[in-house]
Amino acid sequence: MPDILGATNPVPGYDKTSLNRNVTVSPESTPPQIQNVPDPTRVNRADGRTEQQDSNLQGDGKIRYDSNFQTFLQRLRDAPSLADTLSRLFIGGEGTIVSSGMSAGIAEELSQILEMLHMDESQLLDFLTGQFKSGTRFNGALFALLRNAYDRASSDGVRTDILQFLKTYVDFDSTKHIESNILRDLQRMADAMPASWAEKLRDLMAQLKNSMAAGDRQSGLFLLQREIFPYMSSYVDRTHDMGLPRALLTMLALNVARYENGSEERLQENFRQLSGYGTLRDQLGGIDGDSLLKLLRSGQLPEGSKALQFSDHLAAAAARALRGEGSAEAQELFRNLISAMLINESVYMPINHYLIPLEWDGRMLFSELWVDPDAEDDEEERRNRRPGGGNNTMRFLFKMDVQSLGLFDVILTSQGKEVDVQIACPEKVAPFTRQIEEGIANILLRNELTPTRVMVRKMERPVTLTEVFPKIYEGKNSINVKV
């Protein structure tokens, strides 16, 4: 009988039902061309899926897609030296110059940085102190108290409210940054719109800038939520523009949520919630809303601090370069600079990182500093050491690129007043190793420290971070999966 529902009559020998009877399916193995559907609730047997990539712990091989930590190790291995990158930006030939291929805007920002690098001892101390403060957001007695309360909390409610307060504080402390992001996204939205739509958005932006400049967060939020956001949504809906405008609309929603969460009222409300717990009432009960704001602002860097000015000018120069200004070489230098800074701020980086650029005795010096305040080599020893039960081991790594001399690696380990110093120096400095050792030992003794070992040798190769700080590998014990 003809198959009146089919497009054609079946061809003899090609009947589907007869073909299916001859297919042999083995329950013990999956054909290599078949890939199991990823299901996080069960363990599937091996198949032809290729996302899993084998590589050793040192991060060798191709980029991995199954492990955040492995990717971090690979990027750490490949990250360019910040000291070397800054040296290439600022040092050329026999003198200190701005590298060729820079646009006028980038050159102006770098010139501002060069003027800041003339520092004496007191200015260098202020610069370093500023970096320490800006690099550690949760410092001071209040956060030490909350950290201790979180560790000792017996209920999830206390921990949740502490984390909520910290989240609100981060948004409160990042107000300037969030405002800058909002204005930047709105400007990009206006540039992407037709002129008939962009004119009204720019008028709304001008009103928003006035509210932000006056510190009137409520008026700014009202304008964003009732005027700007609906207007942008209407544009995307009516024009069906699902490209950049839609992406900017999503980013605007995120930043507006953070802007609202970071208000003084929300911060005080979350703090009062913490003060209501019996375990924290006695310790936090004497702090009212105004005292809290004063306490939190006292830990912030003043606007004119050198550390903030340096980071602002460097970020502005990098932003110009990554937007396409300057030569390809200049753009690559800034790309390397940003990449190295981001990898040192990774959640997997267990040590603190600082940058020390300065001009000393007419010679430019660019140095990176890594600090581990708890550097016992044995993980069990670190875990069992009681607070106040003895001097812990601190370890410092300096990588210094000195103009006309070259790269130095300095590893300094201290425990109490005992200090061990190891220096790898360039070949042209190697003949003076004995004098350097004696000079460093005398400096330590003058500061009432005991030099257990001072060793200076010619550098064979630059030391790696993982050699000095093996605890970096402890990140493999954390959640180590990409989805």
Side-chain angles (χ1 to χ4, degrees):
M1 176 179 177
D3 183 4
I4 60 176
L5 298 179
T8 61
N9 291 331
V11 179
Y14 285 87
D15 180 66
K16 294 180 182 179
T17 56
S18 62
L19 288 175
N20 290 339
R21 293 192 191 98
N22 297 328
V23 176
T24 302
V25 179
S26 173
E28 299 300 325
S29 62
T30 302
Q33 69 272 18
I34 303 298
Q35 295 186 349
N36 296 322
V37 177
D39 185 354
T41 64
R42 58 182 297 185
V43 178
N44 296 320
R45 59 179 179 265
D47 58 15
R49 189 169 296 280
T50 58
E51 288 92 336
Q52 182 77 19
Q53 299 181 15
D54 294 327
S55 178
N56 60 32
L57 186 61
Q58 281 67 38
D60 299 332
K62 298 179 180 179
I63 293 295
R64 295 185 57 141
Y65 301 101
D66 63 323
S67 167
N68 279 320
F69 179 69
Q70 194 73 29
T71 302
F72 161 74
L73 288 180
Q74 291 174 324
R75 289 177 177 172
L76 180 63
R77 181 199 62 187
D78 299 333
S81 166
L82 264 176
D84 178 65
T85 303
L86 288 174
S87 177
R88 291 173 61 193
L89 275 174
F90 291 103
I91 300 176
E94 296 299 323
T96 302
I97 62 171
V98 176
S99 299
S100 61
M102 303 292 181
S103 68
I106 297 177
E108 176 62 26
E109 298 292 348
L110 296 183
S111 298
Q112 295 288 336
I113 295 175
L114 284 172
E115 292 180 6
M116 297 174 56
L117 299 185
H118 302 278
M119 291 185 278
D120 55 25
E121 293 182 10
S122 61
Q123 292 172 328
L124 177 59
L125 179 60
D126 292 339
F127 181 81
L128 286 177
T129 303
Q131 279 205 66
F132 296 155
K133 287 184 177 180
S134 62
T136 308
R137 191 189 297 265
F138 304 110
N139 58 352
L142 174 62
F143 295 107
L145 187 153
L146 293 177
R147 192 176 294 112
N148 183 59
Y150 185 89
D151 292 336
R152 296 175 179 270
S154 58
S155 69
D156 291 337
V158 177
R159 290 193 176 96
T160 300
D161 286 340
I162 290 176
L163 293 177
Q164 183 59 47
F165 171 76
L166 296 178
K167 180 181 178 181
T168 304
Y169 168 68
V170 169
D171 292 338
F172 167 78
D173 192 49
S174 305
T175 294
K176 295 295 183 183
H177 177 69
I178 296 172
E179 290 177 345
S180 176
N181 286 344
I182 290 174
L183 294 175
R184 181 194 60 200
D185 290 342
L186 291 177
Q187 182 60 53
R188 293 180 64 194
M189 184 73 167
D191 293 340
M193 284 178 167
S196 57
W197 284 84
E199 184 178 357
K200 181 179 178 180
L201 181 58
R202 289 194 171 96
D203 291 339
L204 294 172
M205 282 177 58
Q207 299 177 41
L208 180 61
K209 285 182 180 179
N210 293 334
S211 298
M212 290 178 172
D216 190 352
R217 189 188 296 256
Q218 291 303 318
S219 296
L221 282 170
F222 183 87
L223 191 63
L224 283 164
Q225 295 169 345
R226 302 295 181 87
E227 297 281 347
I228 295 177
F229 198 87
Y231 185 73
M232 291 174 62
S233 299
S234 175
Y235 169 77
V236 172
D237 182 55
R238 294 175 63 179
T239 62
H240 303 287
D241 191 338
M242 299 301 174
L244 178 62
R246 188 184 184 189
L248 292 175
L249 189 61
T250 304
M251 292 303 300
L252 180 67
L254 172 63
N255 285 314
V256 169
R258 293 190 62 195
Y259 192 50
E260 182 178 17
N261 186 59
S263 66
E264 295 180 1
E265 295 78 10
R266 185 70 61 87
L267 185 68
Q268 293 174 349
E269 178 185 343
N270 289 336
F271 185 75
R272 285 193 297 270
Q273 179 72 17
L274 289 180
S275 303
Y277 289 103
T279 55
L280 294 171
R281 186 181 300 113
D282 294 338
Q283 297 167 303
L284 300 178
I287 305 177
D288 57 15
D290 293 337
S291 300
L292 172 67
L293 295 176
K294 184 177 180 181
L295 178 64
L296 294 176
R297 286 179 175 138
S298 65
Q300 297 177 343
L301 282 176
E303 290 293 331
S305 66
K306 263 196 170 182
L308 283 181
Q309 291 182 22
F310 174 80
S311 60
D312 288 345
H313 286 303
L314 192 60
R320 287 177 175 273
L322 296 181
R323 284 197 297 263
E325 294 187 22
S327 65
E329 181 185 3
Q331 294 174 31
E332 181 65 21
L333 283 175
F334 280 105
R335 193 175 292 110
N336 291 340
L337 184 72
I338 296 300
S339 175
M341 295 180 74
L342 289 177
I343 197 65
N344 281 289
E345 295 299 324
S346 168
V347 295
Y348 290 108
M349 179 63 76
I351 53 181
N352 300 317
H353 174 258
Y354 306 100
L355 194 61
I356 310 175
L358 74 154
E359 181 178 346
W360 195 270
D361 291 335
R363 180 170 286 165
M364 297 293 295
L365 182 150
F366 297 98
S367 175
E368 288 184 87
L369 168 63
W370 289 268
V371 182
D372 185 0
D374 190 15
E376 281 83 357
D377 291 329
D378 184 24
E379 181 181 356
E380 187 70 23
E381 180 183 351
R382 286 199 304 272
R383 207 164 37 236
N384 294 334
R385 181 174 53 80
R386 294 174 299 173
N391 293 317
N392 62 309
T393 301
M394 300 181 65
R395 185 164 295 143
F396 304 80
L397 171 62
F398 295 87
K399 281 187 172 289
M400 296 185 293
D401 196 331
V402 183
Q403 183 182 1
S404 75
L405 291 181
L407 180 67
F408 291 76
D409 280 343
V410 182
I411 304 172
L412 189 150
T413 306
S414 69
Q415 186 173 28
K417 290 185 175 295
E418 297 182 349
V419 180
D420 178 285
V421 182
Q422 302 176 55
I423 300 176
C425 63
E427 184 175 0
K428 62 177 65 174
V429 182
F432 308 98
T433 56
R434 185 63 181 170
Q435 295 94 311
I436 297 174
E437 290 174 351
E438 293 176 352
I440 292 176
N442 290 331
I443 292 174
L444 294 174
L445 291 171
R446 285 200 306 268
N447 288 275
E448 300 181 354
L449 299 172
T450 303
T452 57
R453 178 179 59 167
V454 177
M455 182 178 69
V456 182
R457 59 177 177 79
K458 186 180 79 171
M459 180 183 292
E460 300 297 333
R461 63 172 179 83
V463 70
T464 64
L465 270 181
T466 49
E467 290 173 337
V468 182
F469 304 104
K471 69 185 299 182
I472 290 175
Y473 286 131
E474 293 177 11
K476 70 180 182 297
N477 298 323
S478 62
I479 296 176
N480 191 17
V481 175
K482 269 192 176 179
V483 178

